[in-house]
Amino acid sequence: MRKYQLYLIEDEFATHYFGRERLFFQLFKEHLNASGELAFIINKQIAYITKKVEVLKIHQLIQKHLGKRKGFKADHGAYTIELSGKISKAKLEIYQDLLTIEADGSYEAETIFFEVLRKYESPILAIDLEHERFGWLKPIKERKYV
């Protein structure tokens, strides 16, 4: 099973650290293992670099793009996509600080959620701590000044 944590990153930090996403990954990994004062400090850092999730906007985005899709189910704020032909299943849960996706089977079901979330205006960083994978759902465009 794959478990992703998706964070909305403040624009300023997303552009500054584009290409150095490993630093974000290390911060979130340290947060997992931290305790005491270190956990308090890392929580403050994470709160500073992340945005609160606009829960209603995310719900509307998901419903608009996936509401009529075969295999899609909404259940008390959690969304599930089950693709029987591809033996793929993913569940999206929305919280105020982050989004989570749990997926099994092929990557197709989770990719459907990722593609919809790419339409959201804020930079979203997906992190899979267990398998040490991370990346932007929508890469940041670098501004070129002439």
Side-chain angles (χ1 to χ4, degrees), residues 30-55:
E30 283 180 30
H31 178 257
L32 185 66
N33 302 320
S35 61
E37 191 175 341
L38 179 60
F40 176 77
I41 292 168
I42 292 174
N43 277 335
K44 288 268 193 197
Q45 290 175 331
I46 289 173
Y48 189 70
I49 65 168
T50 59
K51 294 180 185 181
K52 293 287 181 199
V53 175
E54 295 177 88
V55 176

mmCIF file with all atom_site columns, all heavy atoms in Angstrom, residues 30-55:
data_model
loop_
_atom_site.group_PDB
_atom_site.id
_atom_site.type_symbol
_atom_site.label_atom_id
_atom_site.label_alt_id
_atom_site.label_comp_id
_atom_site.label_asym_id
_atom_site.label_entity_id
_atom_site.label_seq_id
_atom_site.pdbx_PDB_ins_code
_atom_site.Cartn_x
_atom_site.Cartn_y
_atom_site.Cartn_z
_atom_site.occupancy
_atom_site.B_iso_or_equiv
_atom_site.pdbx_formal_charge
_atom_site.auth_seq_id
_atom_site.auth_comp_id
_atom_site.auth_asym_id
_atom_site.auth_atom_id
_atom_site.pdbx_PDB_model_num
ATOM 1   N N   . GLU A 1 30 ? 11.739  14.182 9.442  1.00 0.00 ? 30 GLU A N   1
ATOM 2   C CA  . GLU A 1 30 ? 12.174  14.486 10.805 1.00 0.00 ? 30 GLU A CA  1
ATOM 3   C C   . GLU A 1 30 ? 10.969  14.698 11.717 1.00 0.00 ? 30 GLU A C   1
ATOM 4   O O   . GLU A 1 30 ? 10.990  14.311 12.880 1.00 0.00 ? 30 GLU A O   1
ATOM 5   C CB  . GLU A 1 30 ? 13.064  15.731 10.815 1.00 0.00 ? 30 GLU A CB  1
ATOM 6   C CG  . GLU A 1 30 ? 14.465  15.484 10.329 1.00 0.00 ? 30 GLU A CG  1
ATOM 7   C CD  . GLU A 1 30 ? 15.317  16.745 10.346 1.00 0.00 ? 30 GLU A CD  1
ATOM 8   O OE1 . GLU A 1 30 ? 15.075  17.630 11.192 1.00 0.00 ? 30 GLU A OE1 1
ATOM 9   O OE2 . GLU A 1 30 ? 16.223  16.837 9.505  1.00 0.00 ? 30 GLU A OE2 1
ATOM 10  N N   . HIS A 1 31 ? 9.928   15.312 11.165 1.00 0.00 ? 31 HIS A N   1
ATOM 11  C CA  . HIS A 1 31 ? 8.706   15.554 11.939 1.00 0.00 ? 31 HIS A CA  1
ATOM 12  C C   . HIS A 1 31 ? 8.099   14.243 12.413 1.00 0.00 ? 31 HIS A C   1
ATOM 13  O O   . HIS A 1 31 ? 7.578   14.151 13.532 1.00 0.00 ? 31 HIS A O   1
ATOM 14  C CB  . HIS A 1 31 ? 7.703   16.334 11.077 1.00 0.00 ? 31 HIS A CB  1
ATOM 15  C CG  . HIS A 1 31 ? 6.405   16.583 11.762 1.00 0.00 ? 31 HIS A CG  1
ATOM 16  N ND1 . HIS A 1 31 ? 5.274   15.857 11.463 1.00 0.00 ? 31 HIS A ND1 1
ATOM 17  C CD2 . HIS A 1 31 ? 6.045   17.453 12.731 1.00 0.00 ? 31 HIS A CD2 1
ATOM 18  C CE1 . HIS A 1 31 ? 4.281   16.285 12.231 1.00 0.00 ? 31 HIS A CE1 1
ATOM 19  N NE2 . HIS A 1 31 ? 4.725   17.243 12.992 1.00 0.00 ? 31 HIS A NE2 1
ATOM 20  N N   . LEU A 1 32 ? 8.169   13.221 11.596 1.00 0.00 ? 32 LEU A N   1
ATOM 21  C CA  . LEU A 1 32 ? 7.616   11.911 11.934 1.00 0.00 ? 32 LEU A CA  1
ATOM 22  C C   . LEU A 1 32 ? 8.312   11.312 13.156 1.00 0.00 ? 32 LEU A C   1
ATOM 23  O O   . LEU A 1 32 ? 7.679   10.685 13.998 1.00 0.00 ? 32 LEU A O   1
ATOM 24  C CB  . LEU A 1 32 ? 7.766   10.978 10.720 1.00 0.00 ? 32 LEU A CB  1
ATOM 25  C CG  . LEU A 1 32 ? 7.155   9.597  10.806 1.00 0.00 ? 32 LEU A CG  1
ATOM 26  C CD1 . LEU A 1 32 ? 5.637   9.704  10.869 1.00 0.00 ? 32 LEU A CD1 1
ATOM 27  C CD2 . LEU A 1 32 ? 7.567   8.768  9.610  1.00 0.00 ? 32 LEU A CD2 1
ATOM 28  N N   . ASN A 1 33 ? 9.632   11.518 13.259 1.00 0.00 ? 33 ASN A N   1
ATOM 29  C CA  . ASN A 1 33 ? 10.417  10.888 14.323 1.00 0.00 ? 33 ASN A CA  1
ATOM 30  C C   . ASN A 1 33 ? 10.709  11.814 15.504 1.00 0.00 ? 33 ASN A C   1
ATOM 31  O O   . ASN A 1 33 ? 11.302  11.380 16.484 1.00 0.00 ? 33 ASN A O   1
ATOM 32  C CB  . ASN A 1 33 ? 11.744  10.380 13.752 1.00 0.00 ? 33 ASN A CB  1
ATOM 33  C CG  . ASN A 1 33 ? 11.537  9.395  12.615 1.00 0.00 ? 33 ASN A CG  1
ATOM 34  O OD1 . ASN A 1 33 ? 10.652  8.563  12.675 1.00 0.00 ? 33 ASN A OD1 1
ATOM 35  N ND2 . ASN A 1 33 ? 12.330  9.508  11.569 1.00 0.00 ? 33 ASN A ND2 1
ATOM 36  N N   . ALA A 1 34 ? 10.332  13.083 15.417 1.00 0.00 ? 34 ALA A N   1
ATOM 37  C CA  . ALA A 1 34 ? 10.684  14.055 16.449 1.00 0.00 ? 34 ALA A CA  1
ATOM 38  C C   . ALA A 1 34 ? 9.790   13.932 17.674 1.00 0.00 ? 34 ALA A C   1
ATOM 39  O O   . ALA A 1 34 ? 8.649   13.492 17.592 1.00 0.00 ? 34 ALA A O   1
ATOM 40  C CB  . ALA A 1 34 ? 10.582  15.465 15.876 1.00 0.00 ? 34 ALA A CB  1
ATOM 41  N N   . SER A 1 35 ? 10.349  14.359 18.792 1.00 0.00 ? 35 SER A N   1
ATOM 42  C CA  . SER A 1 35 ? 9.569   14.414 20.027 1.00 0.00 ? 35 SER A CA  1
ATOM 43  C C   . SER A 1 35 ? 10.054  15.595 20.860 1.00 0.00 ? 35 SER A C   1
ATOM 44  O O   . SER A 1 35 ? 11.120  16.159 20.600 1.00 0.00 ? 35 SER A O   1
ATOM 45  C CB  . SER A 1 35 ? 9.711   13.107 20.815 1.00 0.00 ? 35 SER A CB  1
ATOM 46  O OG  . SER A 1 35 ? 11.061  12.911 21.173 1.00 0.00 ? 35 SER A OG  1
ATOM 47  N N   . GLY A 1 36 ? 9.246   15.980 21.817 1.00 0.00 ? 36 GLY A N   1
ATOM 48  C CA  . GLY A 1 36 ? 9.627   17.055 22.722 1.00 0.00 ? 36 GLY A CA  1
ATOM 49  C C   . GLY A 1 36 ? 9.745   18.405 22.045 1.00 0.00 ? 36 GLY A C   1
ATOM 50  O O   . GLY A 1 36 ? 8.930   18.771 21.195 1.00 0.00 ? 36 GLY A O   1
ATOM 51  N N   . GLU A 1 37 ? 10.789  19.130 22.412 1.00 0.00 ? 37 GLU A N   1
ATOM 52  C CA  . GLU A 1 37 ? 10.996  20.483 21.896 1.00 0.00 ? 37 GLU A CA  1
ATOM 53  C C   . GLU A 1 37 ? 11.270  20.487 20.401 1.00 0.00 ? 37 GLU A C   1
ATOM 54  O O   . GLU A 1 37 ? 10.825  21.380 19.677 1.00 0.00 ? 37 GLU A O   1
ATOM 55  C CB  . GLU A 1 37 ? 12.153  21.160 22.642 1.00 0.00 ? 37 GLU A CB  1
ATOM 56  C CG  . GLU A 1 37 ? 12.249  22.631 22.337 1.00 0.00 ? 37 GLU A CG  1
ATOM 57  C CD  . GLU A 1 37 ? 13.311  23.336 23.164 1.00 0.00 ? 37 GLU A CD  1
ATOM 58  O OE1 . GLU A 1 37 ? 13.723  22.802 24.205 1.00 0.00 ? 37 GLU A OE1 1
ATOM 59  O OE2 . GLU A 1 37 ? 13.719  24.433 22.744 1.00 0.00 ? 37 GLU A OE2 1
ATOM 60  N N   . LEU A 1 38 ? 11.987  19.476 19.900 1.00 0.00 ? 38 LEU A N   1
ATOM 61  C CA  . LEU A 1 38 ? 12.271  19.390 18.469 1.00 0.00 ? 38 LEU A CA  1
ATOM 62  C C   . LEU A 1 38 ? 10.961  19.261 17.676 1.00 0.00 ? 38 LEU A C   1
ATOM 63  O O   . LEU A 1 38 ? 10.793  19.913 16.642 1.00 0.00 ? 38 LEU A O   1
ATOM 64  C CB  . LEU A 1 38 ? 13.193  18.211 18.164 1.00 0.00 ? 38 LEU A CB  1
ATOM 65  C CG  . LEU A 1 38 ? 13.553  18.008 16.696 1.00 0.00 ? 38 LEU A CG  1
ATOM 66  C CD1 . LEU A 1 38 ? 14.277  19.243 16.140 1.00 0.00 ? 38 LEU A CD1 1
ATOM 67  C CD2 . LEU A 1 38 ? 14.404  16.768 16.518 1.00 0.00 ? 38 LEU A CD2 1
ATOM 68  N N   . ALA A 1 39 ? 10.039  18.461 18.163 1.00 0.00 ? 39 ALA A N   1
ATOM 69  C CA  . ALA A 1 39 ? 8.740   18.305 17.495 1.00 0.00 ? 39 ALA A CA  1
ATOM 70  C C   . ALA A 1 39 ? 8.003   19.639 17.462 1.00 0.00 ? 39 ALA A C   1
ATOM 71  O O   . ALA A 1 39 ? 7.395   19.994 16.449 1.00 0.00 ? 39 ALA A O   1
ATOM 72  C CB  . ALA A 1 39 ? 7.896   17.253 18.204 1.00 0.00 ? 39 ALA A CB  1
ATOM 73  N N   . PHE A 1 40 ? 8.066   20.394 18.553 1.00 0.00 ? 40 PHE A N   1
ATOM 74  C CA  . PHE A 1 40 ? 7.422   21.706 18.611 1.00 0.00 ? 40 PHE A CA  1
ATOM 75  C C   . PHE A 1 40 ? 8.010   22.652 17.568 1.00 0.00 ? 40 PHE A C   1
ATOM 76  O O   . PHE A 1 40 ? 7.283   23.336 16.847 1.00 0.00 ? 40 PHE A O   1
ATOM 77  C CB  . PHE A 1 40 ? 7.572   22.292 20.024 1.00 0.00 ? 40 PHE A CB  1
ATOM 78  C CG  . PHE A 1 40 ? 7.017   23.675 20.167 1.00 0.00 ? 40 PHE A CG  1
ATOM 79  C CD1 . PHE A 1 40 ? 5.643   23.875 20.268 1.00 0.00 ? 40 PHE A CD1 1
ATOM 80  C CD2 . PHE A 1 40 ? 7.855   24.780 20.195 1.00 0.00 ? 40 PHE A CD2 1
ATOM 81  C CE1 . PHE A 1 40 ? 5.123   25.152 20.397 1.00 0.00 ? 40 PHE A CE1 1
ATOM 82  C CE2 . PHE A 1 40 ? 7.346   26.058 20.320 1.00 0.00 ? 40 PHE A CE2 1
ATOM 83  C CZ  . PHE A 1 40 ? 5.981   26.242 20.419 1.00 0.00 ? 40 PHE A CZ  1
ATOM 84  N N   . ILE A 1 41 ? 9.319   22.668 17.459 1.00 0.00 ? 41 ILE A N   1
ATOM 85  C CA  . ILE A 1 41 ? 10.009  23.548 16.508 1.00 0.00 ? 41 ILE A CA  1
ATOM 86  C C   . ILE A 1 41 ? 9.672   23.148 15.076 1.00 0.00 ? 41 ILE A C   1
ATOM 87  O O   . ILE A 1 41 ? 9.359   23.994 14.239 1.00 0.00 ? 41 ILE A O   1
ATOM 88  C CB  . ILE A 1 41 ? 11.537  23.517 16.742 1.00 0.00 ? 41 ILE A CB  1
ATOM 89  C CG1 . ILE A 1 41 ? 11.865  24.177 18.076 1.00 0.00 ? 41 ILE A CG1 1
ATOM 90  C CG2 . ILE A 1 41 ? 12.285  24.191 15.606 1.00 0.00 ? 41 ILE A CG2 1
ATOM 91  C CD1 . ILE A 1 41 ? 13.291  23.972 18.555 1.00 0.00 ? 41 ILE A CD1 1
ATOM 92  N N   . ILE A 1 42 ? 9.712   21.850 14.775 1.00 0.00 ? 42 ILE A N   1
ATOM 93  C CA  . ILE A 1 42 ? 9.410   21.382 13.418 1.00 0.00 ? 42 ILE A CA  1
ATOM 94  C C   . ILE A 1 42 ? 7.946   21.669 13.068 1.00 0.00 ? 42 ILE A C   1
ATOM 95  O O   . ILE A 1 42 ? 7.647   22.055 11.940 1.00 0.00 ? 42 ILE A O   1
ATOM 96  C CB  . ILE A 1 42 ? 9.768   19.888 13.259 1.00 0.00 ? 42 ILE A CB  1
ATOM 97  C CG1 . ILE A 1 42 ? 11.293  19.714 13.343 1.00 0.00 ? 42 ILE A CG1 1
ATOM 98  C CG2 . ILE A 1 42 ? 9.251   19.340 11.939 1.00 0.00 ? 42 ILE A CG2 1
ATOM 99  C CD1 . ILE A 1 42 ? 11.775  18.285 13.340 1.00 0.00 ? 42 ILE A CD1 1
ATOM 100 N N   . ASN A 1 43 ? 7.045   21.516 14.027 1.00 0.00 ? 43 ASN A N   1
ATOM 101 C CA  . ASN A 1 43 ? 5.631   21.868 13.782 1.00 0.00 ? 43 ASN A CA  1
ATOM 102 C C   . ASN A 1 43 ? 5.498   23.327 13.386 1.00 0.00 ? 43 ASN A C   1
ATOM 103 O O   . ASN A 1 43 ? 4.732   23.660 12.484 1.00 0.00 ? 43 ASN A O   1
ATOM 104 C CB  . ASN A 1 43 ? 4.778   21.597 15.025 1.00 0.00 ? 43 ASN A CB  1
ATOM 105 C CG  . ASN A 1 43 ? 4.345   20.159 15.137 1.00 0.00 ? 43 ASN A CG  1
ATOM 106 O OD1 . ASN A 1 43 ? 4.254   19.460 14.140 1.00 0.00 ? 43 ASN A OD1 1
ATOM 107 N ND2 . ASN A 1 43 ? 4.078   19.723 16.351 1.00 0.00 ? 43 ASN A ND2 1
ATOM 108 N N   . LYS A 1 44 ? 6.215   24.200 14.071 1.00 0.00 ? 44 LYS A N   1
ATOM 109 C CA  . LYS A 1 44 ? 6.185   25.630 13.739 1.00 0.00 ? 44 LYS A CA  1
ATOM 110 C C   . LYS A 1 44 ? 6.724   25.863 12.325 1.00 0.00 ? 44 LYS A C   1
ATOM 111 O O   . LYS A 1 44 ? 6.164   26.659 11.569 1.00 0.00 ? 44 LYS A O   1
ATOM 112 C CB  . LYS A 1 44 ? 7.027   26.437 14.745 1.00 0.00 ? 44 LYS A CB  1
ATOM 113 C CG  . LYS A 1 44 ? 6.418   26.550 16.097 1.00 0.00 ? 44 LYS A CG  1
ATOM 114 C CD  . LYS A 1 44 ? 5.610   27.798 16.132 1.00 0.00 ? 44 LYS A CD  1
ATOM 115 C CE  . LYS A 1 44 ? 5.239   28.125 17.556 1.00 0.00 ? 44 LYS A CE  1
ATOM 116 N NZ  . LYS A 1 44 ? 4.165   29.068 17.605 1.00 0.00 ? 44 LYS A NZ  1
ATOM 117 N N   . GLN A 1 45 ? 7.808   25.188 11.966 1.00 0.00 ? 45 GLN A N   1
ATOM 118 C CA  . GLN A 1 45 ? 8.390   25.335 10.626 1.00 0.00 ? 45 GLN A CA  1
ATOM 119 C C   . GLN A 1 45 ? 7.400   24.872 9.561  1.00 0.00 ? 45 GLN A C   1
ATOM 120 O O   . GLN A 1 45 ? 7.217   25.541 8.542  1.00 0.00 ? 45 GLN A O   1
ATOM 121 C CB  . GLN A 1 45 ? 9.696   24.548 10.520 1.00 0.00 ? 45 GLN A CB  1
ATOM 122 C CG  . GLN A 1 45 ? 10.819  25.138 11.326 1.00 0.00 ? 45 GLN A CG  1
ATOM 123 C CD  . GLN A 1 45 ? 12.065  24.272 11.306 1.00 0.00 ? 45 GLN A CD  1
ATOM 124 O OE1 . GLN A 1 45 ? 11.996  23.043 11.176 1.00 0.00 ? 45 GLN A OE1 1
ATOM 125 N NE2 . GLN A 1 45 ? 13.223  24.902 11.435 1.00 0.00 ? 45 GLN A NE2 1
ATOM 126 N N   . ILE A 1 46 ? 6.770   23.740 9.791  1.00 0.00 ? 46 ILE A N   1
ATOM 127 C CA  . ILE A 1 46 ? 5.806   23.207 8.825  1.00 0.00 ? 46 ILE A CA  1
ATOM 128 C C   . ILE A 1 46 ? 4.614   24.144 8.695  1.00 0.00 ? 46 ILE A C   1
ATOM 129 O O   . ILE A 1 46 ? 4.159   24.424 7.587  1.00 0.00 ? 46 ILE A O   1
ATOM 130 C CB  . ILE A 1 46 ? 5.386   21.774 9.209  1.00 0.00 ? 46 ILE A CB  1
ATOM 131 C CG1 . ILE A 1 46 ? 6.556   20.817 8.963  1.00 0.00 ? 46 ILE A CG1 1
ATOM 132 C CG2 . ILE A 1 46 ? 4.152   21.331 8.424  1.00 0.00 ? 46 ILE A CG2 1
ATOM 133 C CD1 . ILE A 1 46 ? 6.343   19.410 9.454  1.00 0.00 ? 46 ILE A CD1 1
ATOM 134 N N   . ALA A 1 47 ? 4.135   24.660 9.814  1.00 0.00 ? 47 ALA A N   1
ATOM 135 C CA  . ALA A 1 47 ? 3.005   25.600 9.770  1.00 0.00 ? 47 ALA A CA  1
ATOM 136 C C   . ALA A 1 47 ? 3.381   26.862 8.994  1.00 0.00 ? 47 ALA A C   1
ATOM 137 O O   . ALA A 1 47 ? 2.540   27.448 8.308  1.00 0.00 ? 47 ALA A O   1
ATOM 138 C CB  . ALA A 1 47 ? 2.566   25.959 11.190 1.00 0.00 ? 47 ALA A CB  1
ATOM 139 N N   . TYR A 1 48 ? 4.640   27.267 9.066  1.00 0.00 ? 48 TYR A N   1
ATOM 140 C CA  . TYR A 1 48 ? 5.097   28.481 8.394  1.00 0.00 ? 48 TYR A CA  1
ATOM 141 C C   . TYR A 1 48 ? 5.195   28.309 6.878  1.00 0.00 ? 48 TYR A C   1
ATOM 142 O O   . TYR A 1 48 ? 4.867   29.221 6.126  1.00 0.00 ? 48 TYR A O   1
ATOM 143 C CB  . TYR A 1 48 ? 6.456   28.910 8.968  1.00 0.00 ? 48 TYR A CB  1
ATOM 144 C CG  . TYR A 1 48 ? 6.910   30.258 8.503  1.00 0.00 ? 48 TYR A CG  1
ATOM 145 C CD1 . TYR A 1 48 ? 6.276   31.412 8.934  1.00 0.00 ? 48 TYR A CD1 1
ATOM 146 C CD2 . TYR A 1 48 ? 7.985   30.380 7.626  1.00 0.00 ? 48 TYR A CD2 1
ATOM 147 C CE1 . TYR A 1 48 ? 6.696   32.667 8.505  1.00 0.00 ? 48 TYR A CE1 1
ATOM 148 C CE2 . TYR A 1 48 ? 8.413   31.632 7.193  1.00 0.00 ? 48 TYR A CE2 1
ATOM 149 C CZ  . TYR A 1 48 ? 7.762   32.769 7.638  1.00 0.00 ? 48 TYR A CZ  1
ATOM 150 O OH  . TYR A 1 48 ? 8.176   33.997 7.207  1.00 0.00 ? 48 TYR A OH  1
ATOM 151 N N   . ILE A 1 49 ? 5.616   27.138 6.425  1.00 0.00 ? 49 ILE A N   1
ATOM 152 C CA  . ILE A 1 49 ? 5.826   26.936 4.978  1.00 0.00 ? 49 ILE A CA  1
ATOM 153 C C   . ILE A 1 49 ? 4.597   26.387 4.257  1.00 0.00 ? 49 ILE A C   1
ATOM 154 O O   . ILE A 1 49 ? 4.556   26.374 3.039  1.00 0.00 ? 49 ILE A O   1
ATOM 155 C CB  . ILE A 1 49 ? 7.035   26.015 4.688  1.00 0.00 ? 49 ILE A CB  1
ATOM 156 C CG1 . ILE A 1 49 ? 6.781   24.599 5.206  1.00 0.00 ? 49 ILE A CG1 1
ATOM 157 C CG2 . ILE A 1 49 ? 8.311   26.613 5.234  1.00 0.00 ? 49 ILE A CG2 1
ATOM 158 C CD1 . ILE A 1 49 ? 7.768   23.577 4.716  1.00 0.00 ? 49 ILE A CD1 1
ATOM 159 N N   . THR A 1 50 ? 3.606   25.914 5.016  1.00 0.00 ? 50 THR A N   1
ATOM 160 C CA  . THR A 1 50 ? 2.421   25.337 4.386  1.00 0.00 ? 50 THR A CA  1
ATOM 161 C C   . THR A 1 50 ? 1.221   26.272 4.519  1.00 0.00 ? 50 THR A C   1
ATOM 162 O O   . THR A 1 50 ? 1.169   27.109 5.408  1.00 0.00 ? 50 THR A O   1
ATOM 163 C CB  . THR A 1 50 ? 2.053   23.972 4.999  1.00 0.00 ? 50 THR A CB  1
ATOM 164 O OG1 . THR A 1 50 ? 1.810   24.131 6.396  1.00 0.00 ? 50 THR A OG1 1
ATOM 165 C CG2 . THR A 1 50 ? 3.142   22.945 4.768  1.00 0.00 ? 50 THR A CG2 1
ATOM 166 N N   . LYS A 1 51 ? 0.262   26.074 3.615  1.00 0.00 ? 51 LYS A N   1
ATOM 167 C CA  . LYS A 1 51 ? -0.999  26.808 3.658  1.00 0.00 ? 51 LYS A CA  1
ATOM 168 C C   . LYS A 1 51 ? -2.064  25.892 4.237  1.00 0.00 ? 51 LYS A C   1
ATOM 169 O O   . LYS A 1 51 ? -1.981  24.668 4.098  1.00 0.00 ? 51 LYS A O   1
ATOM 170 C CB  . LYS A 1 51 ? -1.455  27.190 2.243  1.00 0.00 ? 51 LYS A CB  1
ATOM 171 C CG  . LYS A 1 51 ? -0.592  28.163 1.526  1.00 0.00 ? 51 LYS A CG  1
ATOM 172 C CD  . LYS A 1 51 ? -1.211  28.416 0.156  1.00 0.00 ? 51 LYS A CD  1
ATOM 173 C CE  . LYS A 1 51 ? -0.323  29.310 -0.677 1.00 0.00 ? 51 LYS A CE  1
ATOM 174 N NZ  . LYS A 1 51 ? -0.912  29.576 -1.984 1.00 0.00 ? 51 LYS A NZ  1
ATOM 175 N N   . LYS A 1 52 ? -3.077  26.489 4.821  1.00 0.00 ? 52 LYS A N   1
ATOM 176 C CA  . LYS A 1 52 ? -4.241  25.707 5.241  1.00 0.00 ? 52 LYS A CA  1
ATOM 177 C C   . LYS A 1 52 ? -4.997  25.276 3.986  1.00 0.00 ? 52 LYS A C   1
ATOM 178 O O   . LYS A 1 52 ? -5.065  26.007 2.999  1.00 0.00 ? 52 LYS A O   1
ATOM 179 C CB  . LYS A 1 52 ? -5.167  26.539 6.124  1.00 0.00 ? 52 LYS A CB  1
ATOM 180 C CG  . LYS A 1 52 ? -4.562  26.899 7.455  1.00 0.00 ? 52 LYS A CG  1
ATOM 181 C CD  . LYS A 1 52 ? -4.519  25.698 8.343  1.00 0.00 ? 52 LYS A CD  1
ATOM 182 C CE  . LYS A 1 52 ? -3.935  26.065 9.691  1.00 0.00 ? 52 LYS A CE  1
ATOM 183 N NZ  . LYS A 1 52 ? -3.473  24.910 10.419 1.00 0.00 ? 52 LYS A NZ  1
ATOM 184 N N   . VAL A 1 53 ? -5.551  24.107 4.014  1.00 0.00 ? 53 VAL A N   1
ATOM 185 C CA  . VAL A 1 53 ? -6.313  23.579 2.885  1.00 0.00 ? 53 VAL A CA  1
ATOM 186 C C   . VAL A 1 53 ? -7.682  24.258 2.865  1.00 0.00 ? 53 VAL A C   1
ATOM 187 O O   . VAL A 1 53 ? -8.364  24.323 3.889  1.00 0.00 ? 53 VAL A O   1
ATOM 188 C CB  . VAL A 1 53 ? -6.481  22.050 3.016  1.00 0.00 ? 53 VAL A CB  1
ATOM 189 C CG1 . VAL A 1 53 ? -7.376  21.507 1.926  1.00 0.00 ? 53 VAL A CG1 1
ATOM 190 C CG2 . VAL A 1 53 ? -5.122  21.364 2.996  1.00 0.00 ? 53 VAL A CG2 1
ATOM 191 N N   . GLU A 1 54 ? -8.053  24.765 1.714  1.00 0.00 ? 54 GLU A N   1
ATOM 192 C CA  . GLU A 1 54 ? -9.391  25.315 1.541  1.00 0.00 ? 54 GLU A CA  1
ATOM 193 C C   . GLU A 1 54 ? -10.301 24.120 1.245  1.00 0.00 ? 54 GLU A C   1
ATOM 194 O O   . GLU A 1 54 ? -10.524 23.750 0.087  1.00 0.00 ? 54 GLU A O   1
ATOM 195 C CB  . GLU A 1 54 ? -9.407  26.329 0.408  1.00 0.00 ? 54 GLU A CB  1
ATOM 196 C CG  . GLU A 1 54 ? -8.562  27.558 0.704  1.00 0.00 ? 54 GLU A CG  1
ATOM 197 C CD  . GLU A 1 54 ? -8.532  28.519 -0.465 1.00 0.00 ? 54 GLU A CD  1
ATOM 198 O OE1 . GLU A 1 54 ? -9.423  29.385 -0.535 1.00 0.00 ? 54 GLU A OE1 1
ATOM 199 O OE2 . GLU A 1 54 ? -7.617  28.383 -1.283 1.00 0.00 ? 54 GLU A OE2 1
ATOM 200 N N   . VAL A 1 55 ? -10.799 23.541 2.315  1.00 0.00 ? 55 VAL A N   1
ATOM 201 C CA  . VAL A 1 55 ? -11.525 22.274 2.258  1.00 0.00 ? 55 VAL A CA  1
ATOM 202 C C   . VAL A 1 55 ? -12.695 22.325 1.278  1.00 0.00 ? 55 VAL A C   1
ATOM 203 O O   . VAL A 1 55 ? -12.857 21.427 0.443  1.00 0.00 ? 55 VAL A O   1
ATOM 204 C CB  . VAL A 1 55 ? -11.987 21.864 3.679  1.00 0.00 ? 55 VAL A CB  1
ATOM 205 C CG1 . VAL A 1 55 ? -12.832 20.608 3.632  1.00 0.00 ? 55 VAL A CG1 1
ATOM 206 C CG2 . VAL A 1 55 ? -10.792 21.682 4.595  1.00 0.00 ? 55 VAL A CG2 1
#
